């Protein structure tokens, strides 16, 4: 799969790797010098200052390799062979999610929160750098694994050219994922660890291999976890969404009655699970709760695009709504360097994609 992917989008993939690597180097220099703060984790910046960027990332790869499926390495090798870009550089880029501090938002709504109490609507809003090069190479990569092998089922990875980990995505098993980086945890998170499965690989495994919500539950609770996050898993077959308080110490699944953290600024809403920008983030959660409540009973992708994410101001780089009832997604990307209009994805036009049609695509006959 990697060689075919790299061959088809060689120019875009090469452009992304070069642009984002350059951006990372500039942020590393600024972070070490104290010019800017917040993009990279402080412990990682110290390792870079002591050892250099390449070595620091290679160490991260070495300590996560035993927890990473060999199919990821095989896919990276294929892309490397197709593009001529060193394998190590691909691997280094793909660990950035473990080492940075992205703020994001999510919700899942079902039952009485939706028109006619039908279906499940899920949000994944990524708030990350909109000038780091990623915005120029958006891509929905649809995988159709060989059904004669143990390669899983069809799924769509929503991200950028050559990005094989998952930060947004939807599968033919009607499972979808959300994720938030946690910069402001409380003591209930326990400890973090560098030794485990990179979370973007764990999320992709849910999309590629898991058939049910319970499969995803078992994967996340039994797996070797790493950093502080809030994850989200939706299953459109049973109209169920849970968020997950996630760290090396815990994997706490939360529904609308067990939602945390608790506080006046994070009120529980029947048949809705939501988180705005971080774990302890009163201002964004208050606005998100208010906007969801205004639309309660009539929460649709169109209404939420207009009156939730654009008002909350979340989803700067990439944003996707998963409409399970109709098997479609609505997605928007930050403004590319050669594009016009608003910069942030939440203010831009969305693309509606029929997932049934994508997964029904047949392989070429010759």
């Amino acid at each position: 799969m990697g060689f075919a992917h790299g061959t088809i989008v060689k120019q875009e993939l090469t452009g992304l790797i070069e642009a984002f690597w350059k951006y990372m180097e500039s942020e590393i220099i600024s972070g070490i010098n104290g010019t800017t703060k917040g993009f990279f984790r402080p412990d990682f910046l110290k390792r870079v200052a002591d050892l250099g960027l390449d070595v620091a990332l290679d160490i991260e790869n070495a300590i996560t390799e035993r927890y990473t499926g060999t199919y990821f390495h095989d896919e990276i090798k294929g892309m490397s062979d197709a593009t001529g870009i060193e394998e190590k550089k691909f691997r280094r880029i793909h660990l950035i999610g473990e080492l940075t501090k992205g703020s994001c938002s999510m919700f899942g709504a079902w039952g009485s929160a939706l028109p006619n109490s039908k279906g499940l609507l899920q949000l994944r809003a990524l708030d990350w750098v909109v000038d780091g090069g990623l915005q120029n190479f958006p891509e929905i990569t649809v995988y159709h694994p060989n059904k004669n092998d143990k390669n899983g089922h069809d799924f769509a990875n929503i991200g950028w050219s050559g990005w094989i980990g998952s930060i947004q995505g939807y599968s033919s098993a009607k499972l979808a994922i959300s994720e938030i980086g946690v910069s402001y945890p409380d003591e209930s998170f326990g400890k973090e660890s560098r030794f485990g499965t990179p979370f973007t690989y764990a999320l992709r495994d849910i999309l590629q291999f898991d058939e049910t919500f319970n499969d995803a539950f078992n994967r996340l609770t039994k797996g070797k976890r790493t950093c502080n996050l809030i994850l989200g898993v939706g299953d459109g077959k049973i109209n169920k969404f849970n968020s997950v308080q996630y760290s090396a110490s815990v994997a706490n699944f939360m529904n609308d009655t067990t939602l945390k953290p608790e506080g006046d600024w994070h009120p529980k809403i029947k048949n809705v699970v939501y988180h705005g920008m971080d774990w302890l983030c009163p201002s964004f959660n208050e606005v998100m709760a208010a906007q969801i409540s205004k639309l309660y009973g009539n929460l649709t992708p169109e209404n939420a695009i207009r009156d939730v994410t654009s008002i909350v101001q979340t989803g700067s780089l990439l944003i996707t709504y998963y409409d399970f009832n109709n098997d479609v997604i609505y997605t928007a990307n930050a403004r590319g360097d050669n594009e016009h209009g608003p910069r942030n994805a939440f203010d831009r036009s969305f693309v509606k994609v029929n997932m049934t049609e994508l997964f029904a695509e047949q392989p070429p006959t010759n």
Side-chain angles (χ1 to χ4, degrees):
M1 290 190 291
F3 187 83
H5 191 182
T7 300
I8 294 168
V9 294
K10 180 176 181 178
Q11 182 177 349
E12 293 85 354
L13 197 159
T14 301
L16 178 140
I17 295 292
E18 291 177 351
F20 195 55
W21 186 261
K22 183 177 180 180
Y23 179 83
M24 286 197 320
E25 288 180 323
S26 69
E27 288 296 308
I28 285 286
I29 294 171
S30 297
I32 291 174
N33 292 339
T35 307
T36 59
K37 296 181 180 180
F39 187 73
F40 283 104
R41 298 166 57 92
D43 58 326
F44 176 67
L45 285 175
K46 185 179 186 306
R47 285 199 294 277
V48 174
D50 293 340
L51 304 170
L53 178 58
D54 289 3
V55 175
L57 285 171
D58 287 343
I59 290 173
E60 295 295 327
N61 268 299
I63 63 179
T64 60
E65 186 168 9
R66 63 177 291 195
Y67 308 104
T68 302
T70 57
Y71 41 89
F72 287 110
H73 299 315
D74 293 342
E75 190 168 350
I76 285 174
K77 184 180 186 308
M79 290 193 294
S80 175
D81 290 343
T83 62
I85 299 172
E86 187 182 15
E87 279 184 59
K88 283 186 176 181
K89 200 161 193 175
F90 276 106
R91 294 187 184 187
R92 292 164 183 160
I93 288 283
H94 278 86
L95 278 182
I96 292 305
E98 294 283 314
L99 306 169
T100 56
K101 295 182 175 181
S103 297
C104 311
S105 300
M106 72 171 75
F107 74 65
W110 63 94
S112 56
L114 306 181
N116 302 316
S117 298
K118 290 180 60 177
L120 171 65
L121 178 64
Q122 179 176 339
L123 164 70
R124 195 297 194 225
L126 172 60
D127 292 275
W128 211 26
V129 293
V130 296
D131 58 355
L134 296 173
Q135 75 281 0
N136 294 320
F137 305 98
E139 180 178 300
I140 300 176
T141 309
V142 182
Y143 289 80
H144 300 277
N146 189 329
K147 303 303 187 296
N148 295 323
D149 297 330
K150 295 181 179 180
N151 290 329
H153 45 241
D154 296 353
F155 69 100
N157 202 16
I158 305 166
W160 311 284
S161 298
W163 196 277
I164 66 170
S166 294
I167 45 87
Q168 301 188 16
Y170 187 94
S171 80
S172 58
K174 281 203 164 188
L175 293 176
I177 55 167
S178 302
E179 178 268 332
I180 298 174
V182 173
S183 297
Y184 299 99
D186 57 28
E187 65 279 358
S188 65
F189 274 82
K191 295 181 179 180
E192 295 185 276
S193 175
R194 300 268 62 84
F195 294 84
T197 303
F199 77 86
T200 59
Y201 290 172
L203 290 176
R204 173 167 156 176
D205 282 346
I206 290 174
L207 295 176
Q208 184 169 354
F209 298 108
D210 292 349
E211 296 286 346
T212 67
F213 180 91
N214 286 339
D215 290 341
F217 175 90
N218 289 331
R219 182 179 300 281
L220 296 179
T221 55
K222 296 178 181 179
K224 190 73 171 175
R225 300 177 300 275
T226 55
C227 53
N228 292 342
L229 302 165
I230 309 169
L231 303 183
V233 179
D235 185 339
K237 300 184 298 299
I238 56 174
N239 297 328
K240 181 175 183 176
F241 177 86
N242 276 191
S243 61
V244 189
Q245 181 189 22
Y246 182 96
S247 72
S249 299
V250 299
N252 294 326
F253 278 67
M254 298 173 286
N255 59 30
D256 58 330
T257 64
T258 60
L259 184 65
K260 291 184 172 48
E262 295 183 339
D264 293 341
W265 50 269
H266 195 212
K268 292 182 175 66
I269 304 173
K270 184 179 179 181
N271 294 340
V272 178
V273 172
Y274 70 98
H275 300 274
M277 296 295 270
D278 210 313
W279 183 255
L280 297 177
C281 192
S283 58
F284 279 92
N285 278 284
E286 285 176 338
V287 177
M288 179 169 276
Q291 294 307 115
I292 291 173
S293 296
K294 286 180 182 178
L295 294 173
Y296 195 86
N298 193 33
L299 196 58
T300 65
E302 295 85 354
N303 290 343
I305 288 168
R306 185 187 64 236
D307 291 329
V308 179
T309 41
S310 65
I311 302 298
V312 178
Q313 301 274 282
T314 184
S316 58
L317 178 58
L318 186 62
I319 180 170
T320 301
Y321 282 92
Y322 313 103
D323 179 358
F324 290 89
N325 193 47
N326 295 301
D327 209 27
V328 299
I329 66 168
Y330 299 75
T331 187
N333 181 70
R335 184 185 68 208
D337 291 346
N338 296 319
E339 295 178 329
H340 302 284
R343 165 167 285 200
N344 294 312
F346 55 74
D347 281 332
R348 296 182 64 81
S349 296
F350 281 66
V351 177
K352 181 179 180 180
V353 182
N354 186 310
M355 304 308 292
T356 303
E357 292 179 357
L358 280 188
F359 296 139
E361 186 74 25
Q362 295 300 304
T365 57
N366 54 36

